[in-house]
Amino acid sequence: MTAVPPAHLVDWQGRDWTPQLGRESGAKAAHPNARFTVAATNNPALDPAWDSPAGVPIDAFVFGGRRSTTIPLVSEARDWTEGVYMAATMGSETTAAAAGALGVVRRDPFAMLPFMGYNMSEYFQHWLDLGATLERRGAVLPKIFCVNWFRKGDDGKFVWPGYGENMRVLEWIVRRVEGRAEGELTAFGLTPRYEDLNWSGLDFDRARYERVIDLDAASWAGELELHDELFRRLAHRLPGALTQVRGRIAARLAR
């Protein structure tokens, strides 16, 4: 965290570390993934009941990928099954930090692909079964949202400013959960209209907003083909409900 490494410290394995030792052995003072391993208790906004064994209420799930085209800034699933479809088909375009060709969509269902220890299709079914069980119990199912902060313009630059401005989208999500916000139905779910977001303090006009929220039928035709490719790979025990959702989206696009 300093421009010049300290003369001495204790490394992530509890061993003495100096710049000279690091040069001689190549040992790092911090684990390469240290930025991902900070204790949750260091977050001042952490809910006091975050690890309650009784569980905590969940009002919404938010899934997101890194896509320069096609996927809107934010979409709310029509229902639980379509939300599972959103999460199951989530993907990100490869960057310089990932192996393989740049800009290729890499599917990462539920952001869980590197962590799955069993059939991903069975994981999808687990989510569908969970929703059905909760409905039988009379529970209000959490809403499911898909976000994408990374749409680009013709100049190759990100259109959405991102960072702290993402709170404007999260505010809309919270208001949707509370029943205090409106939106517009599209083939892929419900999205906020320009007037549905709080633009106070940000110069972001309607034309630019359209570039991050629009849903292009031609692009989505290609997107659905990529979904088909994913489902062919996961055909073993793939829930039929997901292929039905795919059909409904295609039908809406054709209108």
Side-chain angles (χ1 to χ4, degrees), residues 2-234:
T2 59
V4 178
H8 173 268
L9 54 75
V10 176
D11 72 8
W12 67 280
Q13 298 180 86
R15 301 170 181 170
D16 287 323
W17 186 94
T18 65
Q20 182 176 350
L21 284 173
R23 287 192 298 270
E24 292 174 352
S25 66
K28 304 290 186 181
H31 189 279
N33 281 335
R35 65 191 184 281
F36 298 126
T37 55
V38 175
T41 49
N42 288 327
N43 184 351
L46 188 68
D47 191 290
W50 75 284
D51 61 348
S52 169
V56 295
I58 297 176
D59 296 309
F61 290 101
V62 183
F63 296 98
R66 185 185 183 97
R67 301 291 301 278
S68 62
T69 63
T70 311
I71 307 300
L73 178 69
V74 56
S75 299
E76 175 190 335
R78 281 174 165 77
D79 54 41
W80 182 262
T81 302
E82 295 206 9
V84 172
Y85 184 95
M86 278 183 176
T89 57
M90 193 177 69
S92 293
E93 292 169 18
T94 53
T95 66
L102 296 180
V104 175
V105 178
R106 173 182 175 272
R107 294 293 156 185
D108 187 9
F110 283 84
M112 284 294 293
L113 190 60
F115 311 105
M116 288 305 298
Y118 65 101
N119 186 316
M120 182 66 79
S121 292
E122 293 179 3
Y123 184 76
F124 300 160
Q125 187 64 58
H126 167 76
W127 274 75
L128 294 171
D129 292 344
L130 174 63
T133 299
L134 291 173
E135 282 190 313
R136 284 197 299 271
R137 294 177 181 174
V140 176
L141 295 179
K143 291 180 178 294
I144 299 179
F145 297 86
C146 176
V147 297
N148 175 33
W149 318 119
F150 302 100
R151 290 278 288 262
K152 291 183 178 180
D154 295 337
D155 58 1
K157 296 181 179 179
F158 295 122
V159 180
W160 179 249
Y163 298 102
E165 307 302 343
N166 295 346
M167 287 300 294
R168 300 174 190 275
V169 172
L170 297 179
E171 180 190 33
W172 179 79
I173 288 175
V174 170
R175 289 192 290 115
R176 283 294 302 164
V177 168
E178 295 174 345
R180 298 188 297 109
E182 299 298 325
E184 179 180 24
L185 273 176
T186 73
F188 190 56
L190 185 137
T191 61
R193 300 161 300 183
Y194 183 78
E195 57 269 24
D196 294 324
L197 296 185
N198 179 354
W199 299 108
S200 177
L202 178 64
D203 181 15
F204 197 81
D205 61 31
R206 189 181 295 270
R208 279 195 290 171
Y209 181 66
E210 287 299 319
R211 292 202 291 272
V212 297
I213 204 69
D214 78 298
L215 194 146
D216 177 70
S219 297
W220 266 90
E223 179 70 14
L224 290 180
E225 290 180 3
L226 294 177
H227 294 182
D228 292 340
E229 180 183 333
L230 171 70
F231 288 161
R232 282 194 293 271
R233 293 169 59 194
L234 299 175

